[in-house]
C-alpha cells in the first residue's frame, strides 16, 4: 500500500505528479533546481515533460528515509510501465533544489 512522505514538500511533489498538476509541481522547484536520472544529470524541464507529464507519470511510495527526503517508490508511466525507483531530494527554504532518481 502506498504511503505519504513525511516531508511536506516531498509529499506535495508526489501529490502534484499523481494529480498531473504541472503548475503545482513547478511551484515546488527552486528556480535553479537540478536533477539526475540513474546518476546522469539531465535537463530538468525536458526530463519532467518526457518522463512525467507527457507520459502520465505516477508514484506509489513504498518506503522513506531521512525524514521523507529519500523514497523508494513504484514509478509508472506510459513509456516504461512500472519500475521500482529511488528518489532523493534536497530541499531549501521550502523548495526542491535537486532531486536524484534511478532504478532501485
Amino acid at each position: 500500500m502506498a504511503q505519504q512522505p513525511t516531508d511536506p514538500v516531498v509529499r506535495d511533489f508526489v501529490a502534484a505528479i499523481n494529480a498531473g498538476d504541472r503548475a503545482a509541481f513547478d511551484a515546488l522547484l527552486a528556480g535553479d533546481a537540478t536533477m539526475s536520472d540513474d546518476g546522469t544529470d539531465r535537463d530538468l524541464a525536458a526530463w519532467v515533460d518526457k518522463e512525467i507529464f507527457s507520459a502520465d507519470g505516477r508514484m506509489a511510495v513504498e518506503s522513506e528515509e531521512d525524514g521523507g527526503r529519500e523514497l523508494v517508490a513504484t514509478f509508472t508511466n506510459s513509456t516504461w510501465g512500472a519500475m521500482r525507483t529511488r528518489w532523493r531530494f534536497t530541499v531549501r527554504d521550502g523548495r526542491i533544489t535537486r532531486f536524484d532518481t534511478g532504478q532501485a
Side-chain angles (χ1 to χ4, degrees):
M1 176 174 227
Q3 66 181 46
Q4 297 296 314
T6 303
D7 185 280
V9 176
V10 175
R11 183 173 51 242
D12 290 348
F13 177 95
V14 172
I17 289 173
N18 288 340
D21 189 340
R22 181 64 187 261
F25 180 91
D26 287 343
L28 296 167
L29 301 176
D32 60 349
T34 60
M35 62 87 54
S36 71
D37 182 7
D38 282 328
T40 302
D41 280 359
R42 306 287 183 178
D43 177 282
L44 187 141
W47 188 92
V48 166
D49 284 339
K50 181 181 177 190
E51 300 294 338
I52 299 175
F53 293 103
S54 294
D56 196 31
R58 298 289 181 263
M59 288 179 75
V61 177
E62 296 176 20
S63 63
E64 69 171 16
E65 293 180 13
D66 191 25
R69 291 191 179 177
E70 292 189 26
L71 308 176
V72 172
T74 299
F75 183 78
T76 306
N77 71 21
S78 60
T79 303
W80 306 107
M83 65 193 101
R84 194 163 186 257
T85 55
R86 289 197 172 278
W87 298 75
R88 182 178 323 143
F89 298 88
T90 304
V91 178
R92 182 184 69 234
D93 300 328
R95 298 253 172 119
I96 295 168
T97 59
R98 180 169 180 86
F99 68 89
D100 301 285
T101 189
Q103 293 189 35

